[in-house]
Amino acid sequence: MQKMAEIALAGKTVLIREDFNVPMQDGKITHSARIEAALPTLRMALAQGAKVIVMSHLGRPVEGQFDAQYSLKPVADYLEKALEQPVPLFDIDHVPNLQPSQIALLENVRFLEGEEKNAPLLAKRLAALCDIFVMDAFAVAHRAQASTVGVAEYARAVCAGPLLQKELQALNKIFDHPQKPVLAIVGGSKVSTKLQVLTNMLDKVDILVLGGGIANTFLKAKGLPVGDSLYEPDLVPTAQELLLKAQRLGKIIWLPEDVVVSDTMDKQAKTTTKLVNEVSAGDKIFDIGTLARESLLNTIQSAKTILWNGPVGVFELEPFAMGTQTLAEAIAMSPAFSVAGGGDTLAAIEQFQVSEKISYLSTGGGAFLEALEGITLPAVAILEERSKELMV
């Protein structure tokens, strides 16, 4: 792909797709990490003398209708302070006349009719705003929308922004050029939501650690009791197939040897630790046990490359947090190259304060998951396709 750093931007109007879908409360930004992550890209373009237009979505407004609660005005205000220069917010019918090293923010693209369906008319209007389109929002790279894919089809020149590059490079380091052994941790409540991830991971990693409800389904597949725990009976045969496949490939599927059980899931829950073959009819599994934590720690210490997507227990509640805390701290202590992503994973990383010690934190939720599934992301595909055309 063409990279933003390789293109002369001076005097050019550059349209940059970022992900400013930040949490808000009472019109104020409560977590600004996504904006902060985009600032180096914006500063790079401004420093080169580009006329910068930034666009993003926020929330889920009714398409084609302005809704004040989803306005990007708080983001524009934040950018003004961070960049120490005016950042006017505008709608597509009133485009400001920018000078070199000036910047403006297009109002929420989801207010525009045709965004979600990637309508050619809207895509052409967005492309007409610029000389160069920069795709820098990995988190929406899996969505074939007007502001991610359509605009890249019609813009005169296209390239990948630094943030998008970092995400793709981190995944490339995991999948294409990893240091072995490669370890993947896949947690969460349901096998069904991550079945394709598990299938793809098994081909690419040496050890696959399973946690949460996903692990319960695999324990059941091994003929072990899970009591009243969350698991998916319909997917037990699929889990058995994956266990057999792992055996054929010489891969390890790690499952806990003991678990934390309780009959209630709350902050005051009384817990018991049991070996997996001793789980009783009324027990509910909410975390991994002492032996499993020690085994997981040793497994992580042996890895050279680590991918983490999903917790191994109900970490939000103190009685069931130890497993995920052990996991987070072990990855943080490991010298291995580590990539972590997904909403619950990032929440756990924040809760256990290990973010600075993970090699790379992915900002993409759905995009990260689809990349793990081995799906080619539409926004990446169009950048590659257009880059080939432009480089001929």
Side-chain angles (χ1 to χ4, degrees):
M1 285 185 294
Q2 284 271 94
K3 300 174 180 66
M4 190 178 105
E6 298 169 345
I7 299 174
L9 304 179
K12 304 286 187 186
T13 301
V14 179
L15 176 63
I16 306 176
R17 177 54 158 107
E18 293 291 0
D19 177 22
F20 294 149
N21 187 30
V22 290
M24 299 262 205
Q25 193 168 4
D26 301 323
K28 292 182 180 175
I29 297 164
T30 57
H31 195 64
S32 60
R34 284 180 170 174
I35 306 176
E36 287 292 327
L39 289 175
T41 302
L42 305 183
R43 289 189 178 116
M44 188 189 301
L46 291 167
Q48 287 192 39
K51 304 168 187 178
V52 179
I53 296 173
V54 198
M55 64 176 172
S56 175
H57 72 287
L58 176 65
R60 297 185 177 275
V62 176
E63 190 176 288
Q65 294 180 26
F66 175 82
D67 186 335
Q69 69 175 316
Y70 296 114
S71 172
L72 286 172
K73 181 68 169 66
V75 176
D77 293 342
Y78 189 100
L79 290 173
E80 284 199 350
K81 288 177 185 172
L83 298 172
E84 299 180 326
Q85 68 181 87
V87 182
L89 182 69
F90 71 96
D91 66 68
I92 201 166
D93 294 318
H94 302 90
V95 183
N97 182 24
L98 296 175
Q99 299 302 309
S101 299
Q102 289 185 343
I103 182 171
L105 177 64
L106 177 63
E107 184 57 284
N108 193 339
V109 291
R110 289 192 177 164
F111 292 163
L112 302 173
E113 194 74 52
E115 160 65 0
E116 195 173 344
K117 292 180 180 175
N118 189 15
L121 189 64
L122 176 59
K124 287 174 184 176
R125 288 192 75 188
L126 292 171
L129 295 174
C130 67
D131 301 306
I132 302 163
F133 169 64
V134 180
M135 179 59 183
D136 201 37
F138 176 79
V140 287
H142 64 308
R143 300 191 186 279
Q145 298 178 336
S147 68
T148 58
V149 171
V151 62
E153 290 178 19
Y154 298 106
R156 285 189 284 275
V158 301
C159 62
L163 261 185
L164 181 67
Q165 275 179 258
K166 280 183 188 174
E167 292 272 1
L168 297 176
Q169 283 164 358
L171 290 170
N172 183 55
K173 202 166 177 180
I174 289 279
F175 293 137
D176 297 336
H177 309 289
Q179 272 195 290
K180 290 180 172 286
V182 181
L183 166 69
I185 301 109
V186 180
S189 58
K190 294 183 176 181
V191 173
S192 53
T193 59
K194 294 187 179 177
L195 179 57
Q196 195 54 48
V197 172
L198 295 173
T199 305
N200 193 43
M201 288 291 100
L202 205 49
D203 290 325
K204 297 179 182 295
V205 305
D206 301 297
I207 306 165
L208 182 57
V209 169
L210 302 181
I214 291 174
N216 297 342
T217 302
F218 276 77
L219 289 171
K220 193 72 178 175
K222 291 183 79 170
L224 291 161
V226 295
D228 288 341
S229 309
L230 173 69
Y231 83 101
E232 292 175 282
D234 294 350
L235 286 170
V236 167
T238 305
Q240 288 170 334
E241 286 171 21
L242 286 169
L243 287 165
L244 287 170
K245 182 181 177 182
Q247 209 171 355
R248 283 197 312 272
L249 294 172
K251 306 291 179 78
I252 297 168
I253 290 184
W254 183 99
L255 290 164
E257 52 198 294
D258 64 343
V259 288
V260 175
V261 301
S262 180
D263 55 3
T264 58
M265 188 174 73
D266 57 51
K267 290 178 183 177
Q268 281 76 45
K270 291 181 180 178
T271 65
T272 308
T273 300
K274 293 186 175 184
L275 294 171
V276 287
N277 60 355
E278 295 175 350
V279 174
S280 309
D283 290 335
K284 293 177 183 175
I285 300 169
F286 292 125
D287 195 12
I288 61 172
T290 311
L291 295 172
R293 290 200 300 272
E294 189 175 334
S295 168
L296 183 56
L297 180 62
N298 292 334
T299 302
I300 288 167
Q301 285 174 341
S302 71
K304 294 286 178 67
T305 304
I306 301 170
L307 175 71
W308 178 19
N309 177 242
V312 293
V314 187
F315 69 93
E316 300 92 339
L317 300 173
E318 193 176 334
F320 316 117
M322 280 297 290
T324 305
Q325 183 172 354
T326 299
L327 168 63
E329 290 174 351
I331 294 173
M333 287 188 294
S334 168
F337 176 75
S338 54
V339 176
D344 288 341
T345 310
L346 296 180
I349 285 167
E350 192 168 326
Q351 181 172 319
F352 301 119
Q353 300 179 339
V354 296
S355 61
E356 290 180 11
K357 294 184 179 177
I358 308 289
S359 307
Y360 192 80
L361 297 179
S362 175
T363 57
F368 185 70
L369 210 54
E370 288 198 16
L372 299 192
E373 289 172 3
I375 295 170
T376 301
L377 306 176
V380 174
I382 189 66
L383 285 183
E384 289 174 345
E385 188 183 314
R386 287 297 317 277
S387 293
K388 283 174 191 170
E389 288 173 20
L390 295 164
M391 287 191 275
V392 169

